[in-house]
Amino acid sequence: MNFELTDDQVMIKETVSEFAHRRILPNRMIWDEAQIFPVDVFREMGEIGLMGMLVPEEYGGAGLGYIEYKIALEEISRVCGSVGLSMAAHNSLCTGHILQFGTEEQKKKYLPKLASAEWIGAWGLTEANTGSDALRMQCVAKKEGEYWVINGTKNFITHGTSGDVAVVLVRTGDLLDSHGITTFIVERSTPGFSGGKKENKLGMRCSETSEMVFDNCRVHESQILGEVGEGFIQAMKVLDGGRISIGAMSLGIAQGAYDTALSYSKERKQFGQAISRFQAIAFKLADMAVAIEISDLLLLKACTLKNAGKPCTLASAMAKYESSEVAVKVSTEAVQILGGYGYTKDFPAEKYYRDSKLCTIGEGTSEIQKLVIARELVR
Ligand SMILES: Cc1cc2nc3c(=O)[nH]c(=O)nc-3n(C[C@H](O)[C@H](O)[C@H](O)COP(=O)(O)OP(=O)(O)OC[C@H]3O[C@@H](n4cnc5c(N)ncnc54)[C@H](O)[C@@H]3O)c2cc1C
């Protein structure tokens, strides 16, 4: 295996890092404190190809692979996990679902708008009473002629209010039937579709999280993605890619926290020397660096399998599980290394710490990743 980045990958890394430091870093705490979702920045990210990274060029995307996507998402999340989360949900969930299962007509209609970020995308699976247990969802669609009428509320949806278009998983069959869920593309302007309660969160505060409410929302059958009843199976496949996204975002957060801790430890003097000279601190840095390297390798494997079109459920669940737990551990240690300053908002360690916790929850909790991994191992 070759672990060297190609020239193009190095260029992507440098370009995205420069963008993140110029456009995101100066504002990240302002957005975080006020829970501002910076739509303009996403439009700019669309202009430089970050919002349709995996979309082929014929549909207006950057036509890149998962390794380039991982690199870009890492560099954004290294500066701000929140912007990384929104980029991930837009690229791999909403856009990724349409790319994987859309008809030619649906792809031509939606992918160019999503890839340019003229439209922001949302993806709705979770409901208030059904997160991990998605097959019990209560949001339903009933057929009326050529239309389907959707009723119910989706919960915790990234861009649930600001999204211009949503890919929504809705029950069209029996409770607990894995062939009883159908996917619909619903545009924001559709009567009966609105945003609901916006969450006030611990971290990831500039990524909007809100309800999506469907009240007798009539959607034409041409808006179904794939076949009726295929939604749950599709969602599981989409989440294979989604987990690589959350893994890359986690890795970026861990790297950002590590960068902060490393540079601080070289500057901060106690007992007449830099604290990095104390073995207790240097060993923490060593553990953090090893954990980051392990996450990186697991992610590279998952990206390579995904690019090759090979089964990647096991690899992506392992990468997501490990990277997200590492993000939490590394950012916790970063706060510790900064001591009292780590606990203040004058340094970014506390933000990495708050943002990291979402990584072990979103797109399947760590417990659910272990279930997925165990199922793959023992089947
Ligand atoms: C910031 C944010 C953004 C999000 N964005 C989206 C989005 O864009 N679209 C979307 O559809 N959803 C989104 N979600 C929802 C997210 O995917 C769910 O929160 C997550 O899947 C967990 O579901 P839950 O919160 O209902 O927890 P629950 O499923 O209620 O889990 C609670 C606890 O029980 C554990 N548990 C549950 N079942 C089992 C089991 N069988 N075995 C062992 N332990 C179990 C869990 O691991 C967890 O620790 C988002 C959530 C957040 C916080």
Side-chain angles (χ1 to χ4, degrees):
M1 268 190 93
N2 181 6
F3 294 107
E4 291 283 305
L5 297 186
T6 64
D7 289 348
D8 283 352
Q9 288 166 349
V10 170
M11 193 191 70
I12 290 169
K13 188 176 166 72
E14 289 172 357
T15 306
V16 178
S17 175
E18 187 279 327
F19 175 85
H21 282 85
R22 180 169 47 81
R23 287 296 287 122
I24 300 173
L25 191 136
N27 299 309
R28 64 183 175 187
M29 281 313 288
I30 299 167
W31 298 334
D32 180 86
E33 299 258 296
Q35 289 217 107
I36 293 167
F37 173 55
V39 177
D40 290 354
V41 170
F42 287 98
R43 305 255 191 262
E44 286 178 45
M45 287 166 67
E47 282 163 22
I48 61 167
L50 298 182
M51 298 298 269
M53 291 201 74
L54 303 163
V55 174
E57 289 177 41
E58 59 180 305
Y59 303 114
L64 296 165
Y66 268 83
I67 293 185
E68 290 77 16
Y69 176 50
K70 163 192 170 290
I71 291 168
L73 197 41
E74 253 174 79
E75 291 307 315
I76 294 287
S77 307
R78 195 169 187 154
V79 170
C80 180
S82 269
V83 177
L85 176 61
S86 278
M87 177 181 160
H90 175 96
N91 270 280
S92 66
L93 296 181
C94 179
T95 309
H97 204 137
I98 296 174
L99 179 61
Q100 248 181 294
F101 297 102
T103 60
E104 195 52 31
E105 206 181 337
Q106 288 168 338
K107 289 192 220 177
K108 281 192 178 136
K109 183 171 180 192
Y110 293 108
L111 294 179
K113 284 194 169 78
L114 287 163
S116 64
E118 180 189 338
W119 279 16
I120 302 286
W123 188 81
L125 176 68
T126 306
E127 296 178 8
N129 293 320
T130 58
S132 308
D133 192 10
L135 275 180
R136 277 179 218 269
M137 69 172 62
Q138 297 294 325
C139 193
V140 291
K142 297 258 183 275
K143 195 163 175 5
E144 281 185 10
E146 288 179 5
Y147 285 83
W148 288 77
V149 182
I150 308 179
N151 276 294
T153 300
K154 293 285 169 185
N155 195 34
F156 288 149
I157 307 304
T158 304
H159 317 144
T161 296
S162 298
D164 299 283
V165 63
V167 168
V168 193
L169 285 295
V170 180
R171 192 154 61 78
T172 49
D174 292 335
L175 199 69
L176 296 177
D177 179 2
S178 61
H179 292 93
I181 309 264
T182 301
T183 316
F184 295 86
I185 307 175
V186 189
E187 294 182 19
R188 174 62 54 193
S189 56
T190 314
F193 175 32
S194 57
K197 180 189 161 222
K198 184 175 164 183
E199 301 299 338
N200 184 4
K201 307 194 297 290
L202 168 73
M204 299 296 196
R205 288 172 57 82
C206 77
S207 176
E208 178 191 274
T209 313
S210 82
E211 288 177 337
M212 289 197 303
V213 182
F214 299 91
D215 181 10
N216 285 322
C217 176
R218 284 166 67 80
V219 178
H220 192 261
E221 60 188 5
S222 60
Q223 296 299 94
I224 289 178
L225 263 175
E227 301 294 325
V228 171
E230 262 185 7
F232 186 75
I233 320 288
Q234 291 174 0
M236 294 304 107
K237 289 187 183 150
V238 169
L239 285 172
D240 281 346
R243 285 171 185 147
I244 293 177
S245 283
I246 301 297
M249 180 188 89
S250 307
L251 178 58
I253 292 173
Q255 283 169 329
Y258 172 79
D259 296 342
T260 304
L262 180 66
S263 64
Y264 183 89
S265 70
K266 290 179 180 169
E267 296 291 322
R268 176 71 173 172
K269 289 204 169 60
Q270 290 293 282
F271 300 95
Q273 58 180 331
I275 60 168
S276 60
R277 298 219 162 254
F278 299 126
Q279 196 177 58
I281 299 295
F283 276 12
K284 280 190 198 300
L285 290 165
D287 285 340
M288 290 156 83
V290 172
I292 287 171
E293 192 72 21
I294 292 169
S295 300
D296 200 6
L297 294 176
L298 283 169
L299 276 161
L300 283 171
K301 179 170 177 185
C303 289
T304 305
L305 291 174
K306 185 80 182 154
N307 279 343
K310 294 190 176 159
C312 69
T313 303
L314 178 62
S316 65
M318 281 184 172
K320 196 270 180 183
Y321 170 55
E322 180 65 17
S323 312
S324 61
E325 293 289 338
V326 162
V328 173
K329 281 182 205 138
V330 167
S331 58
T332 305
E333 288 295 52
V335 171
Q336 190 68 20
I337 289 173
L338 268 72
Y341 295 100
Y343 204 64
T344 72
K345 290 185 187 278
D346 293 341
F347 289 84
E350 64 83 34
K351 181 174 185 301
Y352 291 115
Y353 177 73
R354 287 185 289 112
D355 288 348
S356 71
K357 195 56 203 151
L358 182 273
C359 305
T360 66
I361 296 170
E363 293 191 36
T365 61
S366 287
E367 290 77 13
I368 296 301
Q369 300 312 311
K370 282 199 259 189
L371 277 182
V372 173
I373 293 165
R375 255 186 229 138
E376 290 289 314
L377 296 178
V378 300
R379 71 183 170 150

